[in-house]
Amino acid sequence: MSVTRINRFTSEEGMAADLHEALRAIVPLVEASGGCLSSRLMRNTDFAREFGIQEERASVEAHRTSLERVPPETFAIVMPTLAGRHVPRR
């Protein structure tokens, strides 16, 4: 059974463009990981600092292992742009 996950991100004030670029760099890594059926990057049209990545995976396990494909240095680029400094679970 496939699973869908929607990951929400809110940038710090003045950092929306930086967060958008960082998330655009992550999407191909997500898509290249095993079990990815689809993914897309979205931006809230009413609140431009908010983004989402919707991903459909073949299984829960495929989602868990997908984070292993994103290098820590990529997360390091994203982290300073986030409001509240959300830390992804591994």
Side-chain angles (χ1 to χ4, degrees), residues 7-68:
N7 306 284
R8 286 182 43 197
F9 305 90
T10 303
S11 76
E12 286 284 357
E13 191 70 43
M15 300 290 286
D18 293 332
L19 178 56
H20 185 241
E21 287 304 310
L23 294 175
R24 284 185 55 193
I26 288 175
V27 170
L29 300 172
V30 167
E31 291 172 341
S33 64
C36 182
L37 304 175
S38 68
S39 70
R40 71 179 185 176
L41 175 60
M42 302 169 287
R43 187 172 195 168
N44 187 331
T45 57
D46 295 325
F47 184 57
R49 290 177 40 213
E50 187 174 77
F51 300 87
I53 296 177
Q54 177 183 335
E55 54 183 295
E56 183 180 7
R57 299 260 166 208
S59 66
V60 172
E61 185 59 31
H63 169 69
R64 287 186 186 128
T65 59
S66 71
L67 289 177
E68 296 169 5

Side-chain angles (χ1 to χ4, degrees), residues 67-88:
L67 289 177
E68 296 169 5
R69 303 279 249 163
V70 180
E73 12 343 310
T74 303
F75 280 122
I77 294 168
V78 172
M79 297 307 291
T81 67
L82 294 176
R85 304 290 191 262
H86 169 75
V87 177

